[in-house]
């Protein structure tokens, strides 16, 4: 018969064992929420929903639910994810640079680099575009026009501090041209309407967002800010090919709250690695015009840290809320 001391010792050990049992049950206890901090239908939402079938196939027993928590350009959803329990049942879709630039611009209830970085999925290069009848043919033409008519060249982006806006600021700095007149829009639809209607000389947006208009011959691209030409737009030269080594765009991936247990993080990383290399997933991404750029775990974190460092320097030189 066990002594009272042995019974108490066993009871005292129970709280220490409970977390191990909880981790062992993951991911079957309840649905895993993926917070998308934007409305349905956008690029981040599409990325999150597209990857889920592949993840479910790699995590037997897992059930995923997409929860759209739009607000403050993504900030609200990231704050909810940051404060969630690190138990593997809350993930968040990301968009960088927004994730790392918001804490530079304003007070946020999250610290971007404290998230647990699971996997990047998409890297959508930025580009500069003009209407088909524009006299501007390449970046040299744009630079010449901006220098000849300071402040009279207008460009549109999808918002102050967006990756599109930051692309133009970085390009102006690199090319040594005076600031052009910025017109921020609430999304791609009104921006493209203004560009096609002749209300803007230049539009700044992601290459994947340009595909339909390029194929219809309604716009032309002056250049794509990619390291190499994206397969979806092989005829568009990079900024680098035109003498400006500028790489800029929007990366979209998945993070978890800070402090995610190593065993859960490892399983998620493995699931993403397998899902992102699946031929059916790759084919579907090509059909949807999504530029894949898989990065897992530490490699993803390192890329975000590099991006954050570069953008913090740009913020100190050219704070974009004043642009």
């Amino acid at each position: 018969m066990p002594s009272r001391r042995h019974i108490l010792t066993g009871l005292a050990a129970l709280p220490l064992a409970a977390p191990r049992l909880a981790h062992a049950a993951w991911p079957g206890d309840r649905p895993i929420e993926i917070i998308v901090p934007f409305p349905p239908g956008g690029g981040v939402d599409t990325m999150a929903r597209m990857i889920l079938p592949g993840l479910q196939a790699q995590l037997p027993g897992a059930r995923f639910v997409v929860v759209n928590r739009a607000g403050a350009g993504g900030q609200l959803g990231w704050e909810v994810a940051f404060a969630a329990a690190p138990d593997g049942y809350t993930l968040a879709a990301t968009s960088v640079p927004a994730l790392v630039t918001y804490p530079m611009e304003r007070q946020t209830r999250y610290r971007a680099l404290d998230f647990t970085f699971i996997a990047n999925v998409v890297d959508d290069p930025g580009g500069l575009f003009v209407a088909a009848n524009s006299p501007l043919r390449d970046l040299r033409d744009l630079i010449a026009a901006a220098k000849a008519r300071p402040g009279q060249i207008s460009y549109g982006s999808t918002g102050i501090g967006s990756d599109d806006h930051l692309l133009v600021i970085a390009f102006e700095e690199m090319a040594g041209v005076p600031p052009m007149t910025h017109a921020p829009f609430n999304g791609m639809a009104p921006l493209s309407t203004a560009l096609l209607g002749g209300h803007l000389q230049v539009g700044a947006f992601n290459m994947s967002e340009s595909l339909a208009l390029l194929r219809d011959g309604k716009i032309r691209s002056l250049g794509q800010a990619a390291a190499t030409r994206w397969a979806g737009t092989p005829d568009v030269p990079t900024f680098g090919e035109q003498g400006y080594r500028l790489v800029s765009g929007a990366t979209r991936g998945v993070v978890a709250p800070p402090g995610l247990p190593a065993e859960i993080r490892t399983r998620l990383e493995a699931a993403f690695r397998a899902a992102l290399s699946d031929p059916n997933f790759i084919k579907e991404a090509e059909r949807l015009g999504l530029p894949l750029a898989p990065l897992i775990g530490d490699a993803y974190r390192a890329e975000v840290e590099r991006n954050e460092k570069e953008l913090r320097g740009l913020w100190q030189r050219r704070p974009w809320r004043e642009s």
Side-chain angles (χ1 to χ4, degrees):
M1 180 175 181
S3 68
R4 181 174 180 272
R5 179 179 177 183
H6 288 158
I7 292 173
L8 291 174
T9 301
L11 290 174
L14 286 178
L16 298 176
R20 290 184 175 275
L21 293 174
H23 295 170
W26 187 89
D29 280 0
R30 60 184 191 273
I32 299 171
E33 287 191 358
I34 295 190
I35 296 174
V36 174
F38 302 100
V44 177
D45 185 73
T46 298
M47 177 277 298
R49 295 178 188 274
M50 189 179 70
I51 193 66
L52 290 189
L55 288 179
Q56 286 183 308
Q58 299 299 326
L59 288 170
R63 294 167 292 153
F64 289 94
V65 177
V66 173
V67 179
N68 293 92
R69 287 181 174 266
Q75 179 179 337
L76 177 61
W78 290 324
E79 288 177 340
V80 171
F82 191 84
D87 55 9
Y89 290 103
T90 301
L91 305 175
T94 62
S95 179
V96 175
L99 180 74
V100 299
T101 55
Y102 288 173
M104 300 176 198
E105 304 167 19
R106 54 190 187 247
Q107 291 292 322
T108 62
R109 289 179 294 189
Y110 73 82
R111 296 179 299 278
L113 298 182
D114 284 357
F115 278 107
T116 302
F117 289 85
I118 305 299
N120 188 69
V121 179
V122 166
D123 187 350
D124 199 351
L128 297 181
F129 304 87
V130 295
N133 61 356
S134 171
L136 303 177
R137 310 298 301 183
D138 54 27
L139 295 181
R140 288 179 300 177
D141 287 348
L142 177 58
I143 293 169
K147 289 182 176 180
R149 292 178 286 159
Q152 296 182 41
I153 302 298
S154 62
Y155 72 95
S157 79
T158 53
I160 295 173
S162 65
D163 59 287
D164 317 311
H165 185 200
L166 300 183
L167 164 62
V168 176
I169 291 175
F171 175 65
E172 289 172 340
E173 182 181 57
M174 184 174 289
V177 300
M180 296 180 283
T181 299
H182 179 216
F185 289 83
N186 186 25
M188 178 61 187
L191 168 54
S192 60
T193 298
L195 181 63
L196 295 177
H199 305 294
L200 299 167
Q201 283 100 335
V202 180
F205 40 90
N206 294 113
M207 297 306 296
S208 71
E209 296 172 318
S210 73
L211 286 178
L213 293 173
L214 284 174
R215 289 168 181 167
D216 291 343
K218 294 181 178 179
I219 63 173
R220 288 183 287 101
S221 179
L222 303 180
Q224 55 180 312
T228 58
R229 297 190 187 193
W230 173 42
T233 51
D235 297 329
V236 178
T238 66
F239 280 43
E241 290 175 77
Q242 300 181 68
Y244 298 93
R245 298 184 62 183
L246 176 59
V247 176
S248 178
T251 62
R252 301 167 192 144
V254 175
V255 299
L260 188 70
E263 57 266 39
I264 295 178
R265 174 179 52 79
T266 300
R267 291 183 65 187
L268 279 169
E269 289 177 359
F272 269 94
R273 184 177 288 107
L276 289 169
S277 62
D278 181 80
N280 292 327
F281 172 79
I282 295 172
K283 184 177 180 180
E284 180 65 7
E286 291 175 353
R287 186 185 72 81
L288 294 173
L290 296 181
L292 294 180
L295 289 173
I296 306 298
D298 290 341
Y300 181 25
R301 167 178 287 281
E303 178 62 18
V304 174
E305 288 176 342
R306 182 198 63 77
N307 198 294
E308 196 271 350
K309 182 178 180 180
E310 289 184 358
L311 290 169
R312 188 169 293 280
L314 182 62
W315 168 257
Q316 292 169 350
R317 298 189 303 272
R318 287 277 306 274
W320 45 82
R321 66 184 173 199
E322 301 172 5
S323 300

